[in-house]
Amino acid sequence: MSNITLHTLTERKAAGEKFAVLTAYDATFAHLVSSAGVEMILVGDSLGMVLQGHDSTLPVTLEDMAYHTACVARGNRGAMIMADLPFMSYATAEQAMSSSAALMQAGAHIIKLEGGRWLCDSINLLCERGVPVCAHLGLTPQAVNKLGGYRVQGRSRESALKMIEDARMLEEAGASMLLLECVPSVLAQEITLNAGIPVIGIGAGVHTDAQVLVLQDMLGITPGRRPRFVKDFMAESDSIEAAIRLYAEQVRNSSFPSKEHGFE
């Protein structure tokens, strides 16, 4: 696979071609995921639960994220790498710039941060300094205590309109991508159609420009109850690589996610 860039993915959106995103946190899985043709690797702060055994993403530090981003960068074979800014590492624009520098120097190509319009100044500053940004809307796990748990967001008319406006403002501020988590499929479709930048979905229906899953979830090895938006691709595959290729194929041909994986 030739190197995937932001320009590549923006062109995919313009052409109506979907792309696949998976998490990875180490060199071995980064090599496997990128070699299987997945266009983007997310080094997610989900590592707090997947690797560290916490019950949320909040304990993850910037040092953790930089370490795992560097591991992924060493194993990567051409995928674009997106890394999460962890909890309270971007409370101010200046802190966001310093934290982003650490992740970009570790090997990230784009950083992701959670929140709405309050991030506009930070995003504008980062973009001026050459740091591409993906803005994460909907269910934002770092705000789980404020949200009252892991709940679908944007179901009321008022909250849906606010999310639509937040998406518009974040794009205008310079965001290069949006990620929508656990929002009604119809709302995600509207935001995607109106956005000039790629929109990645997780639990947001089939109409976004891309899908992302946690690697361990789609391999069916995460303990506990499986989230509604997850599909076990190992159940239809005879190897991890085949499961990853099947996931990417089904994202691109829009057979995943199906209606059962989304929210009304």
Side-chain angles (χ1 to χ4, degrees):
M1 178 172 69
S2 58
N3 287 350
I4 301 294
T5 67
L6 186 58
H7 180 67
T8 309
L9 300 182
T10 302
E11 283 192 326
R12 295 264 179 106
K13 177 185 174 75
E17 299 173 357
K18 295 180 182 290
F19 60 91
V21 187
L22 273 177
T23 65
Y25 314 104
D26 61 35
T28 300
F29 275 116
H31 184 280
L32 192 59
V33 168
S34 57
S35 297
V38 171
E39 287 89 347
M40 175 178 277
I41 295 173
L42 169 61
V43 187
D45 58 0
S46 50
L47 67 86
M49 294 177 282
V50 175
L51 299 186
Q52 298 175 338
H54 298 298
D55 61 2
S56 76
T57 63
L58 273 60
V60 177
T61 66
L62 182 64
E63 290 74 22
D64 292 335
M65 293 304 306
Y67 171 81
H68 288 281
T69 299
C71 291
V72 166
R74 286 191 285 270
N76 181 39
R77 293 298 179 268
M80 189 172 180
I81 298 173
M82 178 159 64
D84 278 341
L85 287 183
F87 179 65
M88 292 301 288
S89 68
Y90 51 101
T92 66
E94 291 73 20
Q95 188 185 24
M97 191 159 55
S98 174
S99 299
S100 297
L103 297 189
M104 295 292 283
Q105 289 172 336
H109 303 122
I110 182 170
I111 63 99
K112 180 167 73 66
L113 30 71
E114 298 179 6
R117 61 192 71 183
W118 66 271
L119 287 170
C120 285
D121 289 344
S122 295
I123 289 174
N124 185 261
L125 186 67
L126 288 168
C127 292
E128 284 183 347
R129 269 67 173 178
V131 179
V133 174
C134 175
H136 183 153
L137 291 168
L139 172 59
T140 48
Q142 291 175 17
V144 62
N145 292 311
K146 183 174 183 294
L147 296 174
Y150 297 96
R151 303 171 182 272
V152 179
Q153 303 295 306
R155 275 184 160 153
S156 71
R157 176 171 172 77
E158 180 182 3
S159 61
L161 290 174
K162 182 178 183 298
M163 198 180 302
I164 291 168
E165 181 65 8
D166 280 353
R168 184 191 65 78
M169 293 175 70
L170 292 165
E171 181 177 354
E172 286 186 356
S176 297
M177 288 187 181
L178 297 172
L179 188 146
L180 303 177
E181 180 170 357
C182 290
V183 304
S185 300
V186 172
L187 174 58
Q189 181 178 17
E190 181 173 355
I191 291 173
T192 302
L193 287 172
N194 287 316
I197 55 178
V199 179
I200 303 166
I202 178 168
V206 72
H207 297 292
T208 53
D209 302 304
Q211 300 292 328
V212 61
L213 285 178
V214 170
L215 178 65
Q216 284 79 355
D217 286 351
M218 59 80 64
L219 293 177
I221 61 174
T222 303
R225 186 174 66 87
R226 183 190 304 165
R228 174 175 177 153
F229 51 77
V230 171
K231 177 179 175 179
D232 178 1
F233 286 86
M234 273 300 291
E236 304 173 34
S237 309
D238 58 8
S239 69
I240 291 174
E241 182 179 5
I244 294 170
R245 289 188 183 279
L246 179 62
Y247 164 72
E249 177 187 337
Q250 291 194 3
V251 168
R252 294 187 195 112
N253 67 24
S254 298
S255 58
F256 176 81
S258 62
K259 190 172 183 180
E260 69 186 88
H261 300 111
F263 301 96
E264 298 295 330

